[in-house]
Amino acid sequence: MNIHPSMIGFDIDGVVADTVEAFISLAKNDYGIDSISPHDITDFMVEECLDMDVAIVTEIFDRLMEEPIACALKPMANSMEILHSFAQVAPLTFITARPDKAPIAAWLEKHLGGTIYKKVRLVATGEHDGKAAFIKEMALKYFVDDRVETCVKLDREGIIPIVYNQPWNQGKHNLPSIENWLAIRDLCGTNY
Ligand SMILES: [Mg+2]
């Protein structure tokens, strides 16, 4: 693959944002739960694989949705530098299943910087299975996501999914996958 940055779009949680790290930190610091390791999260539905009160899981995810900056949600390693270089040749496109756009828009603006953020295309679909239509509308050919069901659906819709490897998607698909942002840059030919 030698993907031009104008052809690829990105999910946010689990791809651009290290949502699991923030989840584990909040559980530890605010709820006194210090027994979770990222590798324990073997299911996209966290409450299915962790021995944790569902109400606490829900509360932590609500906080991450509503106030990602206050929750100290961090970008994935190397993501911002690489997105910066992609932004020199194409507008960046992010399509998230988050229900509210404003909080994650503020987070992206904070981490990407205002100049790059001005050219960002950001869609919050509010549901996991509605991404294909937006990806097509934005004329993208490739999409990076960590949710297997989303990637399988995109594949059926003629979009090339790239699975961002995470403990919850390991061994559950035969689609192209990548380990980190350096691998995303390599897919784009390292020219950017
Ligand atoms: Mg995700």
Side-chain angles (χ1 to χ4, degrees), residues 11-15 19 44 96 128 131 144-147 168:
D11 172 38
I12 295 182
D13 292 291
V15 173
T19 313
F44 190 82
T96 173
H128 286 295
K131 289 187 178 180
V144 185
D145 206 294
D146 61 301
R147 183 173 176 264
W168 51 91

Side-chain angles (χ1 to χ4, degrees), residues 129-189:
D129 291 320
K131 289 187 178 180
F134 293 102
I135 294 168
K136 287 181 182 171
E137 193 181 308
M138 294 184 172
L140 304 174
K141 197 169 165 194
Y142 304 88
F143 194 77
V144 185
D145 206 294
D146 61 301
R147 183 173 176 264
V148 171
E149 294 82 353
T150 298
C151 291
V152 167
K153 200 157 195 281
L154 296 183
D155 183 50
R156 287 197 195 118
E157 299 257 3
I159 295 151
I160 301 172
I162 299 164
V163 180
Y164 196 109
N165 286 343
Q166 292 282 8
W168 51 91
N169 59 40
Q170 291 300 289
K172 295 181 181 170
H173 64 89
N174 292 306
L175 297 165
S177 66
I178 45 91
E179 203 61 49
N180 53 41
W181 273 86
L182 299 176
I184 295 177
R185 188 183 61 190
D186 288 349
L187 283 180
C188 295

Side-chain angles (χ1 to χ4, degrees), residues 108-123:
L108 269 180
E109 183 171 15
K110 173 184 156 82
H111 289 285
L112 284 170
T115 311
I116 287 174
Y117 180 77
K118 273 194 203 104
K119 290 184 278 177
V120 158
R121 303 189 295 179
L122 170 64
V123 178

Side-chain angles (χ1 to χ4, degrees), residues 85-99:
S85 43
F86 289 175
Q88 306 309 312
V89 293
L92 303 173
T93 305
F94 302 96
I95 302 175
T96 173
R98 283 174 171 251

